[in-house]
Amino acid sequence: MALLTVRNIETYYGPIMAIRGVSLEVNDGGIVTVLGANGAGKTTVLKTVCGAMDPRKGTVDLDGRDITGLDPNRVAQLGVGHVPEGREVFPFLTVEENLVVGAFSRKRADFSDDLEMVYGYFPALADRRRQPAGFLSGGEQQMLAIGRALMLRPRLMLLDEPSLGLAPTLAREIAGIVARLRSEQRMAILLVEQNARMALDISDYGYVMETGRIVMEDTCERLQNATDIQEFYLGMKDRGVRGRRRWKQRKTWR
Amino acid sequence: MDSDQAALFEARNLSLSFGGVRAVRDVSFEIRRGEVFSIIGPNGAGKTTVFNLINRIYDADEGTMRFNGTEMSRVPGHRVAELGITRTFQNTELFDRATVLDNLLIGRHVHRRTNIVAEFLFLPTVRRQEIAFRSYAERIIDLLELQGSRDQMVGALPYGTRKIVEIARALCAEPELLLLDEPSSGLNPEETEDLSFWIEDISADLGVTIAMVEHDMNLVTAVSNRVMAMADGAAITTGTPAEVQDHPEVLRAYLGD
Amino acid sequence: MEVFQLLLSGLSQGCVYGLIALGFVMIYKATEMLNFAQGDMMMLGAFVAFTFVNLAGLPFFVGFLITLVVMVGFGMGLERTVIRPMIGEPPFAVLMLTIGLGFILRAVAGAIWGSGTRTLDVPFAGRVLEVGGVVLGYENLVVIGGTALLCIGLWAFFRYSRIGIAMQAASQNQLAAYYCGVPVKRVTSLVWGISAAISAAAGVLVAPVMLIDPMMGFLGIKAFAAAIVGGFGSLPGAIVGGLLIGVVEQFAGLYLPAGLGEVSAFVILLVMLMARPQGIFASMQQKKV
Amino acid sequence: MRFVLTTHYGQDVNLFRHNGQRFWYALLAVSVVVAPLFLSTFYVGELVLVFIWAIAGIGLMLLVGYTGLVSLGHAAFLALGAYCHAVLLGYGVPFAVSAPVAVAFTALVGALVGIPALRMTGVYLAIATLAFERIVAYGIEHWEPVTGGLRGMSVPQPDFFGVSLADSYVLYYVSLGVLAAGLFAAANLLRSPTGRAFVAVRDSEISAESMGVHLARTKTTAFAVSAAFTGLAGVLLAHRIGYLAPDAFTVQTSIQLLLLVVVGGLGSLHGVVFGAIFVGYLPQVIALARDVLPSAVGQIPGLELGIFGLILALFLVFEPLGLYGRWLKIRSWLSLFPLYRKATHKRQKAYLRTERVQ
């Protein structure tokens, strides 16, 4: 049975419908990616899953339990770690304090092992554990955000654009760690990415979103070979530069 | 476009640091009259910061900017629109509690010729000005097909429409140079294609020079005359879209392989 | 000698401003909300202590502790009922709401305890200590000492306790704190509770120096000035700003024309806002585009 | 619902969109003009107070509701207008000179207060205006030779084209005229570039500036205009109360003015009038209630202000759009009757995030 089941959710920003009937599944131990352009609603899906936004329709189930509309801290306690877009570390807290906050929902357990585990994945953080997170570089902040989510010992990790703003080598490093996390920590991952190439490389299954809808889903191998995906998301489209065919009066039935 | 055409805007050796991080390093470029000039690069490469420098939201630590031959590195922010440069913002910065029409009319603000006393009394000059503003705004509404949302509150519009309203507002000031900050973000491929037509119309019908920061390489290739690629705050190369896309450093920094 | 005397009473008065300002700053840091009723919470705290100590006849320290507990409950209840629905409303609306709350608290206090002035029985009232010609009132010393203790306590709380760190996390990025499993709503309630307790402590400390009455909450306005002068959002800034204003007031009161001491806090505030709007300990900057 | 066929842009610029509106406003105008004929002096006096509140409210509404700048010190402008006018009258300056001078003086002070606003965000500004109010109050209390200090001063009541402003009926028509002119002027301003610049500054400073709006000038203008309206209300208030003392202009007065704009409905001139009626009559209602209530409750000190605070809090929590907003909802409910959906005004989960950056 799927670990996470999202059924037909509709979420609004005020009066604006940001996602319109999205359904998806993440299996235990699987990596599932959601692709799409900026503003297609990918982040909104993650926010709805983790409870930061309430869907007006539809349900979110975690391991058979309905978690729709729970507060995000409750969802986190149930084992969903969230690495938000733009990293969102606590800038005035030190690296270690950031990680301690990450373990907040776990009852007074000894988390020094977990700290060591995080520092093992990200040795760069160990060197800077006493520094305020605001002074870290973008890549280090991304590592810290992932590490902070790991402190929850999550069963499902929501990863929002982990490669955003990172140099390509760093992005590849992060991708490698994500792949390792799945096998070593046996957690499922729901990955939202613009860097489709990287996402498709490490994921099992992919969904493609456009303006709040899922327009395509398939295994990643098949997605990688689909012409639409190649054109729009992998930048392989062979398009004429200028002088495309067009009518002066464009279509107006929108 | 031939390469010796006059530059409308010229930036020389712009640099800017935020608390030790060099967001923009020694960037020089020019925007030629009538062209569509795109800046590409990974997130955090400093593209939007360049716009914020042109727009005078930030003071450059070093470097100069000339627009139409006028030195503008120290011009106050509100004068930039008067000079003839208006812009849109990455996540749209509209006046949410006003109608689309009012937003466009604020775009006309630089053309205001009345004083507050006349406005209190709503003298005939003010009335004539309002009607003139309105008819110009209607021209832009027609151009960008915003008739349907004219009287709606901007805050309640869908994201795609908001992006277009922001372009319309910037156009209402009759700029010579229009800066578009990621105009296609949040638009679906179809809307992005429409956007590319509109950019062409704005360029052709209104004769406005356009500079844009953009991620969507299809859009960039479709509409740009010249492209500048940036990474880590520095300009890597400038050239035609095809040249830039094939530049080895760009491939490495941006496309990733 | 006179200068020392003034300095000391200025410092003790300044501690009171600083203590109320600490309450403001805590709430502001944790929730970005401004509680204009902070001064009135101090007033309420003083009256509650008065009830337990004078009316119920409990020993001072027992009464004081009960007061703190009651005020924590009051602060949390206030947050739960009135403030929470306002999350997401513009700051102006919250400001107005707390102004309204201040009026309500004053009316309620007037209804319960009457509008007359009261004196809290404290064990250290009226005694003095003379050191080298300077007369030190015990109540002044207690204010200064109490403030110092409270500051150290708060500092340790924020530095070492898990909930204190989580509070800072919630103040820096609410949504990310949620993602880490921090129950932000409960934490916010707690912030209001602690803030109410701090102002109650301020009320008890100030009670021997000035009388208790429903209008004493107006001190809160000067505490606000102190918080801004110190640099809003900075806990040490709140204390430094309070001390500065307290001392200047005392000196202005003596050496400048009548009544100028009263407004000197506001003059300092305006000068500060013109010259260095971010305050002594700057902690805020502009919004990024 | 009414649909209007617009055939010329000029029509959209007009204050009234169709004859129906014109009819109702005309009816309202006629009724306030003839009202004094049927009312006793006391009620006319109360109505004068409502008009004065409304004039001051226009000022604060332009500032708070349209420009998004909060002032907790508007009582100071009311006081400055009143005292300046009264002092000038005392020196024998004719009304026709002293009133405009008082208004201009208040506007000037307002512009000066607006200067710190250029560098401050909302909350700082609120505190700064509060500090300004305290300083003005201090000045009035201590500049005895001119203001009479705490004792106060009486307001000379000059003849005004042969009639005295001390007469409630005369003051009624003068205030009504001023209010009508003020509403007209404010509405004009709001449909002109300056008014739109106010709104632009309120909604997004950064993009207002990039559209060529001079932030500094716009904010100082907003402050000056706001202070001028409030100062004008002060001039009329001086005549209404006849005797000026510092306790007529306190922080509470400022708060009452804010109550007026919040309860009326931020961002609407209609709201000013609704709010003024509310603030003008609430003390009467409370006074009546005191007589009815058992004395233990009725005699609570600070009861009136406590009720003010309570109403303020209730409005902010339950009806942030104010009375005018409530009226609009009722109207849209009526016109859409079977189709109205409650979800239209639903609130969402919201999260705070600090805007502090390192």
Side-chain angles (χ1 to χ4, degrees), chain B residues 13-204:
Chain B
N13 310 100
L14 290 180
S15 290
L16 177 67
S17 306
F18 295 114
V21 182
R22 295 186 65 191
V24 174
R25 333 174 168 210
D26 200 24
V27 170
S28 301
F29 62 95
E30 58 176 41
I31 301 168
R32 296 172 192 157
R33 199 178 291 280
E35 75 173 345
V36 176
F37 179 82
S38 297
I39 305 179
I40 61 166
N43 276 308
K47 310 180 301 286
T48 297
T49 313
V50 168
F51 269 20
N52 287 347
L53 284 171
I54 300 179
N55 204 219
R56 300 284 304 113
I57 293 173
Y58 299 143
D59 278 327
D61 296 336
E62 279 164 55
T64 56
M65 294 183 289
R66 296 177 78 79
F67 179 72
N68 251 340
T70 320
E71 166 60 41
M72 57 166 289
S73 322
R74 288 290 173 265
V75 159
H78 65 266
R79 288 258 300 125
V80 174
E82 266 170 68
L83 284 175
I85 305 176
T86 53
R87 72 173 289 183
T88 65
F89 293 84
Q90 207 165 350
N91 296 313
T92 69
E93 286 277 339
L94 286 160
F95 308 118
D96 280 348
R97 286 178 287 164
T99 62
V100 170
L101 184 60
D102 279 335
N103 268 273
L104 299 198
L105 291 174
I106 291 168
R108 296 296 293 165
H109 193 83
V110 285
H111 300 282
R112 170 192 176 188
R113 294 289 169 267
T114 52
N115 61 31
I116 190 164
V117 177
E119 289 172 7
F120 265 130
L121 300 170
F122 216 74
L123 296 179
T125 51
V126 182
R127 177 177 291 271
R128 275 198 300 276
Q129 174 177 280
E130 281 304 304
I131 292 171
F133 278 11
R134 175 71 190 270
S135 49
Y136 193 84
E138 289 294 337
R139 226 184 112 188
I140 303 296
I141 287 177
D142 275 348
L143 183 79
L144 298 182
E145 291 175 3
L146 287 167
Q147 296 90 341
S149 33
R150 183 189 289 126
D151 293 319
Q152 278 176 297
M153 283 287 162
V154 166
L157 291 175
Y159 191 74
T161 317
R162 291 164 59 84
K163 301 273 311 186
I164 305 301
V165 171
E166 206 179 25
I167 296 176
R169 184 182 66 184
L171 284 176
C172 273
E174 292 181 70
E176 282 185 82
L177 174 60
L178 175 65
L179 309 175
L180 302 176
D181 195 351
E182 303 211 10
S184 83
S185 80
L187 305 186
N188 62 21
E190 208 175 315
E191 288 171 322
T192 308
E193 187 143 12
D194 284 346
L195 178 72
S196 73
F197 296 142
W198 276 324
I199 290 177
E200 286 176 358
D201 283 355
I202 292 165
S203 175

Side-chain angles (χ1 to χ4, degrees), chain D residues 49 64 148-149 199 226 241 269 277 280 283 295 326 346:
Chain D
L49 215 48
V64 180
V199 171
S226 173
I241 56 184
L269 286 179
I277 295 170
S295 65
R326 171 55 50 186
K346 206 179 158 190

Side-chain angles (χ1 to χ4, degrees), chain A residues 205-247:
Chain A
Y205 200 81
Y207 296 85
V208 179
M209 280 190 79
E210 267 175 24
T211 50
R213 281 195 190 82
I214 289 191
V215 292
M216 194 189 290
E217 63 174 287
D218 215 328
T219 60
C220 286
E221 295 99 280
R222 266 181 283 179
L223 282 180
Q224 268 169 324
N225 296 322
T227 40
D228 286 2
I229 299 294
Q230 290 186 340
E231 275 182 19
F232 282 113
Y233 298 102
L234 301 177
M236 297 189 210
K237 190 176 183 182
D238 218 7
R239 216 150 64 150
V241 180
R242 275 254 150 184
R244 279 161 303 155
R245 206 155 40 92
R246 81 176 268 216
W247 295 269

Side-chain angles (χ1 to χ4, degrees), chain A residues 34-49:
Chain A
V34 180
L35 305 176
N38 253 332
K42 310 182 298 288
T43 298
T44 314
V45 171
L46 291 196
K47 284 187 165 176
T48 311
V49 168

